[in-house]
Every structure is written in structure tokens, then in C-alpha cells.
Amino acid sequence: MYKVDFDKPVKAYFMGIGGISMSGLAEVLLQEGFNVCGSDMKSSDVTKRLEELGADVKIGQVRENITEDIDVIIYTAAIHPDNPEYARATELSIPMLKRAELLGQIMEHYKYSVAVAGTHGKTTTTSMMSYILMEAKLDPTVSIGGMLDAINGNIRVGKSDYFITEACEYTNSYHALNPFVTIILNVDADHLDFFKNLENIKESFKTFAGNTVKGGVVVLNGDMDSTDFVASGTEQRVITFGLKEGNDYRAEEVSYDVAGLPTYTLISKGHEPIRVSLGVPGLHNVMNSMAAIASADYLGVDRELTLKGLGKCKSAKRRFEKKGVTSAGVTVIDDYAHHPTEIAATLKSARELKPEKLCVIFQPHTYSRTKALLDEFAEALKVCDEVLLADIYAAREKDDGSVSSKDLAELICVKGGNATYLGGFDKIEEYVINNYKKNYLLITMGAGNVDSIGDNLVKK
């Protein structure tokens, strides 16, 4: 594997430089004095920011972009051998690194690295850790899979030994990381276009736990059926968190304010019980916050500063983000949830707001996930007063005709829910304008581009 020498900056080319994680790594290399260039399929605020920082960004991916003076190429799982840039790089024998491999090499330069993994909650928990370490004035470097107001983007380059990043399980990319603090929030069936089954996923997280460096810690959800199995993968210390008795960090007496924001009593070994108040809604974020507190405790952060940081942490972009109110008085929230477990947690948080009607515009993400989890999606969504289905967001996949959003709408109705397949965004917007009224809560939901519907509705 090509090894990046941070003492000798070279010319690095990013295929898909506008991606949320790729752009963050590109910015880190820019700050380290590297000659950064790359390409993406379209211009965006992210690519424009990189250009302002000195990157050479090309729109469109063609053979001619890959020149012999490039020293190393970074690419993601979305780039395949038939990509013209990939093919040209192979012809020229230019060294290539996967995104996670570069992330792992960057991580090696930080003594106190924190990697946040799990099927759900990575971005929010990374946000929490970022706020905590910034409140403690530890000047962390942060790489996050969302846009965070506190750092004005998805990357923050600090000057200390602290590094925080999300660790994605897809294609086992996080196996390239060796964290000091390994956070595993949950282990559920997902990315079944890559993993064979849930057991395969559990094995993957067990391997990731084993990557924790000597002297480090694994902060692990203790409420899972797979907790002991995943923990058996590491020889390092394991700290558990959850709602059940026996966890090292446990939440009791959870209550919610009128905005659905939780407060709870934290019981943890070696500490006095404390009340914790969060700026993000939902019981799932109580779990996320315990993982963050346990990690901060292990890093030696003062509890008072930890609580202040958590109190300041608000949802990252596309995480239960309030978009505004329509002219008809409909409150619009956007959420990135694209897995049944995430959807159920988001809807439970939404019910705490006690709307007259809870409505969701759902855009399924990838055909493989929709097909594999169709029944689970229907179960999660049937609790809504109404679900409007947009067409499936293909992402890296092609439609083989085996599943559609119409299938999901029909199954939700079979299960006793209320769902309508409308397909195109224009039809969905027209339906909402003509049928939704004051005191309705509308959530645009999915990992694709469904958030644009909410943006349009609050502008009209």
C-alpha cells in the first residue's frame, strides 16, 4: 500500500472530491501543504470551498484529468474499474488509496483518535464529541459526515493530538482505522448489497473493535444481543452504555420538554449521578450522548465541560433539522434516516412534539436496501398518519425492476398504515400544498435529495 509522507507533501488527486467525507480529507491535505486536485460530477458549495482553499477541481470525470505528475489517487467505493479516470490511473500505474486507507494514515498522526462507528447515529455522536472537545479547548481535528454549524462545514483542522471521525462499515472500510477510542453505537442489518447477513455484520464490527490500539478503549452499546460477541474481538478495555442494568453508563429518569429534548440522570461507575440535558431530541440521542460522555471521561475531560459541550450540541444538517414553516402553517423537518431502526427512532422523537398529524415524505435509498428490508420499512412507517413515497434514490446502483417505492406504499397499507406512491418531487409538493394545513408536522426523510422538497415548500 502507498504510504503518504506528511513531511513530504505531494500531488494528490481525489476522484469524487465533492463527497462529504472525501472533501474533508482533501481539506486536511490542503492544510498540510499538499497539492490537492480532483474531480466530481457536478459543482457544489463543497467544491467551490475547496477551490477557494487552493484545490484544482474539475467537473466531470474523463481520462484527460489523470496526468503523469499525480503522485497518488484517492477514491471511494462508488468508483469502479470502468470509470475512465480509474482506468487511466491504472494504465499509468499511479498509486491508489481507498478513502478509508487515507483516513487511517491521517489518524496515525494523532495520539488520541476517536472513531465513531455503528449502523446509526455516527454523525450526531461525532458532533457531540466535537462540541465536548472544543468546549474543553482541546483543539481537535474533526472529520464528520454532515455539515456542522460549530465548525462551519464538515471538517475542522486543529493543532492538537485529538482527532474525531466517523467510521463507516460499508465495504469494511473502517477496518483500515486503528483508533484510540472506538465507539460502537449499534449493530443492525444494513448495507446488504455488501454484507451477506446480520451475522456477517456482527463479525465486521468484532474485527473493528479489535483494531483499537493498545491502551485504548472500546465504548460499546451494552443493550445489544451482540454486545458480548463484538467485545470479544478486542483485548483492550471495554466500557458499556445503555438503559439496562449492568451497563457501566446507564440512563434513568428520562424526561422530555415541549420541544422533545431529553433530560436524564446518568449513573456511571466511579462518578456521582448527574442530570444531563441535550439539545437534540429522542431517546436514541440519550444513548448517543452516553457514548460521548464515556469517551470524554476516558480522555480525561472535566465532566462540567462535557455537559456544557453536550448542551450546546444541536443537530447537524439533515439530522432532525427544522427547515421552517410553510405558508399554510405546516412545520417541515428534514432527517437523513434511511434504515428502519433510524426511521422508528426519528418518528418516536417527532411524536414527542404532539402534532395534529405526523406526515412523512420518504425517499428510499438504494434498491438493495429497500428490497432486503421492505417489511421492516413498512413496519416503521405504518405509524405515520400519512406517508408519501418518492421514487427510490439509486445512488451507486441500477434498477433491476425487482422493487419499487410503489411496492413499499402497498405494503404499508396492507399493514394498516396510510401510504401513497407519488414518485416525482413536483407531484409530492403539489399534494402537500393542496392537502396539508396548520399544526401538521411534515418530515422529509431519506439519504438522497429528498430534502430539496422541504426547501421548496417553506419558500412558497
Side-chain angles (χ1 to χ4, degrees), residues 5-255:
D5 186 344
F6 288 85
D7 293 324
K8 298 178 181 178
V10 296
K11 186 172 184 177
Y13 188 96
F14 287 76
M15 294 181 186
I17 197 168
I20 197 71
S21 58
M22 289 282 274
S23 62
L25 299 183
E27 189 165 334
V28 170
L29 292 195
L30 281 167
Q31 297 283 354
E32 293 289 338
F34 282 69
N35 180 355
V36 173
C37 50
S39 63
D40 214 293
M41 297 309 294
K42 61 181 181 180
S43 178
S44 66
D45 290 341
V46 172
T47 59
K48 291 173 184 176
R49 171 179 166 79
L50 289 171
E51 288 177 314
E52 291 171 359
L53 293 172
D56 178 14
V57 179
K58 302 180 186 302
I59 303 304
Q61 295 182 328
V62 296
R63 288 172 55 86
E64 291 73 24
N65 290 343
I66 306 303
T67 54
E68 294 183 10
D69 62 335
I70 295 171
D71 296 291
V72 61
I73 287 175
I74 298 93
Y75 68 103
T76 69
I79 302 295
H80 301 291
D82 60 355
N83 179 284
E85 292 187 343
Y86 188 106
R88 180 57 175 163
T90 302
E91 290 174 11
L92 295 176
S93 299
I94 298 174
M96 300 178 73
L97 287 174
K98 295 179 181 177
R99 179 200 63 82
E101 290 170 341
L102 175 61
L103 176 58
Q105 292 188 24
I106 290 174
M107 182 178 282
E108 292 174 7
H109 288 261
Y110 297 85
K111 183 177 180 180
Y112 303 114
S113 56
V114 180
V116 183
T119 321
H120 337 287
K122 292 185 288 292
T123 298
T124 300
T125 308
T126 303
S127 300
M128 290 175 174
M129 286 301 303
S130 302
Y131 272 94
I132 290 169
L133 296 193
M134 287 190 292
E135 186 67 27
K137 304 202 182 308
L138 292 174
D139 193 24
T141 293
V142 178
S143 177
I144 187 170
M147 305 306 285
L148 186 61
D149 287 340
I151 60 176
N152 296 315
N154 63 312
I155 188 74
R156 179 187 191 275
V157 181
K159 301 296 184 184
S160 73
D161 281 334
Y162 293 87
F163 180 85
I164 314 164
T165 187
E166 292 186 36
C168 181
E169 72 274 14
Y170 185 59
T171 69
N172 287 326
S173 62
Y174 61 171
H175 289 174
L177 311 181
N178 298 99
F180 179 73
V181 176
T182 297
I183 298 175
I184 298 178
L185 299 168
N186 35 62
V187 179
D188 284 327
D190 197 10
H191 297 302
L192 295 175
D193 58 325
F194 174 75
F195 294 111
K196 297 176 182 177
N197 48 43
L198 180 57
E199 295 306 313
N200 193 213
I201 297 170
K202 292 176 182 177
E203 287 281 359
S204 176
F205 277 96
K206 178 182 176 180
T207 299
F208 177 60
N211 286 356
T212 309
V213 299
K214 187 176 181 180
V217 66
V218 177
V219 178
L220 180 62
N221 184 334
D223 289 354
M224 304 184 297
D225 293 337
S226 58
T227 297
D228 291 342
F229 178 78
V230 174
S232 69
T234 183
E235 297 179 355
Q236 309 310 316
R237 181 179 174 186
V238 175
I239 296 174
T240 60
F241 64 92
L243 303 175
K244 296 179 181 178
E245 291 283 350
N247 284 305
D248 299 311
Y249 285 69
R250 182 165 48 88
E252 293 185 349
E253 301 170 340
V254 181
S255 60

